[in-house]
Amino acid sequence: METLQSLVRELVILVILAVVLELLLPEGDLRRYVRMVLGLLIIVAVLQAAVSFWNRDLAADLSWVTLGQPDRAGTREILREGERLWQVGQTRALDEYEEGLARQIRALAGLNQEVPVADVRVRLEEGRAVGEFGRLKEVILILGVQHGDAGDVPVGAFPAAEPAVDPQAVARLRGLVADFYGLTREQVSVRY
Amino acid sequence: MLRGLCVGLLVILLFGVPGLCWAQAPDAGDDLFHELDLRRVDEAVGVLRAEVDNALPDLDFKSLVASLARGELGYTPGNLAAAIWRYFFKEVLASAALLGKLVVLAVICAVLQNISGAFEKSTTSRMAYTAVYLALITIALGSFVIALNTGREAIENMVVFMHAMLPVMLTLLCAVGGFASAALIHPVIVIVMNAAANVVKNVVFPLIFFSAILGMISHLATGFSLSRLADFLRFVGLGIMGVLTTVFLGVLTIQGVASAVTEGIAFRTAKYASQAFLPIVGKMFSDAMEMIVGSSLLVKNAVGLAGLVLIFLMALFPLLKIIVLVFIYKLAAALVQPLGESRLSECLNTLGNSIVAVFGVVATCALLFFFALALMAGLGNLTVMLR
């Protein structure tokens, strides 16, 4: 741009010179000749600027275009923050899923009239591997009489004395839940 | 080609940014929104707030996002139109002194030109005419520099705002699972955005400025015109702008669509895996994930839309300032023409055209940033849609 700036400066000076000469010179052919000479000077100025522009190292001159480029740390920081938000979302999704699943198992267990299921807890796989994440690890059936919102009752808060339920009925319920969700019998436990 | 790209991007914008409603998952949306670090965006909006406080009071990014998420804009079209009109009128009044100066100097020039026969030597009046003409050029160039600086400042503010918005938008893009898109698009957007701003500030604006100088000076000497050279410089400047626009939109479109497709395929695989490997409950799990991603997408769209509104406002007010100057110069040229002084009228008209070029460059830059933001807003939708 410096070349162009100096070219414009020269052209402005030449035009002002032309005006001054026009004022000073008498009417006649001389004015036309002076105008032609000034025209030639303008051509020379333009050509000179073009040549000097041509001879420059354009690659070096264009380095300013790449000013303010991003650093990898910035991208990494964004990805890290995004990963954190993604994890927050996943945890939330897992909670929703866990709640829905517990509700579903409670409804399934409720079909069995022999064993009173007060609450159901599920444990899920939290490892991020494909096919593992969200896999059902364990189902805990909490037996007893349901007290209002069973979700608020912590495990182990029930009386230590086991209610009078048929162990075979409990085993059948465990089998039903295990078969329904593709689990082993050991993965379905019962607490009182 | 450029028109095609613009239409394509508009389609992405219109169909990619769905109607916003936080009602689907209010808690998830709220939680995610409060997790975001919006300090830099607030700082960038503070500059705009200082500029348009009288025209648009209570301009705040967070409340704008919240109102957009509720499906409201916060400003009615009537309010906005009234604010624009007030700002325009205020600027016209502020520039009235400039118009007065230009017209008075033009009248003096016309009088000197017409009474040249009354002097013993016409050289005296011509000399005086030249002096007054140069004074007029000086004043006009001063206001042209103001227009140029307004444009430069507007572009700088938009770049600062974009730099503040980029991390937020890309973080939200990651939150809907667009990690590859974010990793790919961040350096590309920063490179093309900075390059565009640098080229405009260091090449296009100086070319328009030089073109304006040559255009004005070419009317000074009769029969010694440089108007073609002035036109050439302006042509080069606007040509560079055209190439820049095409490259910018082309790179963004290709990059955006390509990364969204990659992401979409990756997610389709993950979704299939969760349904295939988790017996019975796989669908329930993928539905829960979809709900969370959906609420993140809504937040991202609300933030993106707020960004678009702010970019629009950031461009609007400087553009109004510039268009007022165009109005003043065109009006001055129209007023001067009946005085019989065609050179002066032409000079003022040329300057008006040069300011129109500045207006065009700033508007194009705003459009580029607008499209970049719209693309980022639409990218998450495309990723989720492809799942």
Side-chain angles (χ1 to χ4, degrees):
Chain A
M1 275 299 125
E2 289 84 23
T3 316
L4 203 59
Q5 194 177 352
S6 61
L7 170 68
V8 171
R9 196 182 299 129
E10 281 170 24
L11 292 179
V12 170
I13 290 168
L14 282 172
V15 170
I16 291 172
L17 187 66
V19 172
V20 172
L21 286 174
E22 203 178 328
L23 291 172
L24 295 178
L25 289 172
E27 296 283 341
D29 284 345
L30 191 61
R31 275 192 179 187
R32 278 199 299 127
Y33 298 136
V34 168
R35 200 174 290 161
M36 195 194 71
V37 170
L38 285 171
L40 285 173
L41 281 176
I42 284 176
I43 292 172
V44 169
V46 172
L47 285 178
Q48 198 181 10
V51 168
S52 79
F53 184 73
W54 197 255
N55 286 334
R56 289 172 81 160
D57 180 9
L58 284 178
D61 283 352
L62 289 177
S63 57
W64 52 266
V65 175
T66 53
L67 277 180
Q69 296 313 338
D71 50 345
R72 285 190 180 173
T75 311
R76 272 201 299 272
E77 180 60 35
I78 288 172
L79 290 177
R80 203 164 31 242
E81 183 61 18
E83 175 76 28
R84 192 182 66 79
L85 285 187
W86 174 249
Q87 298 292 354
V88 168
Q90 293 254 305
T91 309
R92 204 182 164 86
L94 211 59
D95 289 347
E96 297 267 340
Y97 165 57
E98 196 178 287
E99 206 175 297
L101 200 56
R103 224 173 13 242
Q104 196 182 56
I105 297 171
R106 200 181 306 134
L108 179 71
L111 294 174
N112 185 329
Q113 300 293 322
E114 301 168 306
V115 184
V117 177
D119 198 8
V120 174
R121 301 284 156 90
V122 292
R123 281 178 57 210
L124 302 171
E125 182 63 63
E126 290 182 5
R128 303 283 155 179
V130 174
E132 286 296 317
F133 182 57
R135 188 188 281 273
L136 198 49
K137 263 168 60 178
E138 190 185 3
V139 175
I140 305 163
L141 302 170
I142 299 160
L143 304 188
V145 183
Q146 197 166 352
H147 298 281
D149 185 6
D152 295 332
V153 183
V155 177
F158 292 90
E162 294 180 12
V165 285
D166 181 8
Q168 283 184 342
V170 172
R172 274 199 300 276
L173 180 63
R174 283 178 66 189
L176 174 74
V177 172
D179 292 343
F180 196 84
Y181 291 98
L183 304 170
T184 59
R185 296 284 190 283
E186 288 70 37
Q187 283 176 294
V188 180
S189 57
V190 173
R191 291 186 196 170
Y192 296 96
Chain B
M1 185 191 175
L2 184 64
R3 191 177 296 172
L5 280 172
C6 290
V7 170
L9 277 168
L10 270 178
V11 169
I12 290 175
L13 174 65
L14 289 175
F15 293 99
V17 182
L20 297 163
C21 181
W22 221 303
Q24 191 184 332
D27 293 343
D30 265 346
D31 288 353
L32 188 68
F33 186 57
H34 289 115
E35 289 278 340
L36 293 172
D37 181 11
L38 296 171
R39 274 173 304 175
R40 280 182 66 198
V41 181
D42 276 336
E43 279 170 24
V45 174
V47 177
L48 177 67
R49 200 180 301 128
E51 175 93 0
V52 297
D53 202 25
N54 290 328
L56 290 174
D58 310 327
L59 188 67
D60 176 55
F61 186 74
K62 280 183 185 166
S63 52
L64 187 63
V65 173
S67 57
L68 281 171
R70 286 195 304 271
E72 302 158 4
L73 180 58
Y75 301 104
T76 62
N79 278 349
L80 210 57
I84 292 169
W85 174 246
R86 270 201 307 274
Y87 193 86
F88 182 81
F89 197 68
K90 195 187 88 184
E91 286 298 320
V92 169
L93 281 181
S95 304
L98 173 69
L99 178 68
K101 278 181 203 167
L102 291 174
V103 172
V104 167
L105 284 171
V107 168
I108 293 170
C109 274
V111 169
L112 284 168
Q113 186 75 3
N114 288 325
I115 63 166
S116 59
F119 291 94
E120 193 178 342
K121 282 184 177 179
S122 62
T123 316
T124 319
S125 69
R126 276 164 53 199
M127 189 83 86
Y129 174 88
T130 308
V132 176
Y133 190 97
L134 285 173
L136 190 141
I137 285 180
T138 312
I139 291 173
L141 272 182
S143 65
F144 184 78
V145 169
I146 290 174
L148 219 53
N149 284 340
T150 305
R152 190 170 286 154
E153 213 170 284
I155 290 173
E156 274 166 10
N157 287 343
M158 281 190 278
V159 169
V160 168
F161 179 70
M162 284 296 287
H163 275 292
M165 276 299 284
L166 261 177
V168 177
M169 287 300 290
L170 294 178
T171 303
L172 285 170
L173 186 61
C174 291
V176 297
F179 289 99
S181 302
L184 277 172
I185 214 157
H186 178 246
V188 174
I189 282 200
V190 173
I191 287 170
V192 289
M193 194 174 69
N194 284 344
N198 286 338
V199 169
V200 167
K201 280 190 292 181
N202 298 318
V203 179
V204 179
F205 276 163
L207 281 172
I208 293 173
F209 181 61
F210 294 149
S211 153
I213 291 175
L214 291 180
M216 287 172 77
I217 210 85
S218 67
H219 295 293
L220 185 60
T222 45
F224 198 80
S225 183
L226 291 171
S227 61
R228 294 283 177 266
L229 190 61
D231 287 348
F232 173 72
L233 289 184
R234 192 186 308 162
F235 167 77
V236 172
L238 296 182
I240 289 173
M241 199 62 215
V243 172
L244 202 67
T245 309
T246 312
V247 171
F248 191 96
L249 292 181
V251 168
L252 282 194
T253 311
I254 293 166
Q255 189 82 31
V257 173
S259 50
V261 169
T262 318
E263 210 87 71
I265 290 166
F267 262 94
R268 186 167 275 280
T269 314
K271 192 178 170 183
Y272 169 75
S274 76
Q275 288 189 9
F277 290 108
L278 303 180
I280 314 290
V281 292
K283 179 78 171 69
M284 194 196 282
F285 181 49
S286 64
D287 283 350
M289 278 184 68
E290 201 127 305
M291 192 271 284
I292 295 298
V293 169
S295 63
S296 306
L297 192 65
L298 286 175
V299 176
K300 192 177 85 68
N301 286 338
V303 170
L305 211 52
L308 291 178
V309 170
L310 287 170
I311 279 280
F312 171 73
L313 292 177
M314 273 183 175
L316 177 71
F317 289 98
L319 284 176
L320 277 176
K321 249 183 199 174
I322 295 170
I323 208 73
V324 163
L325 282 173
V326 174
F327 175 75
I328 293 289
Y329 279 103
K330 292 281 182 185
L331 182 64
L335 289 176
V336 169
Q337 199 177 24
L339 295 172
E341 187 41 62
S342 64
R343 280 193 291 163
L344 262 181
S345 171
E346 280 300 314
C347 169
L348 293 173
N349 199 41
T350 306
L351 199 66
N353 290 340
S354 295
I355 301 179
V356 169
V358 175
F359 176 88
V361 169
V362 177
T364 310
C365 261
L367 207 63
L368 292 184
F369 295 147
F370 192 84
F371 279 148
L373 215 49
L375 191 96
M376 278 190 284
L379 204 57
N381 302 339
L382 203 59
T383 305
V384 174
M385 202 164 69
L386 282 169
R387 286 196 297 170

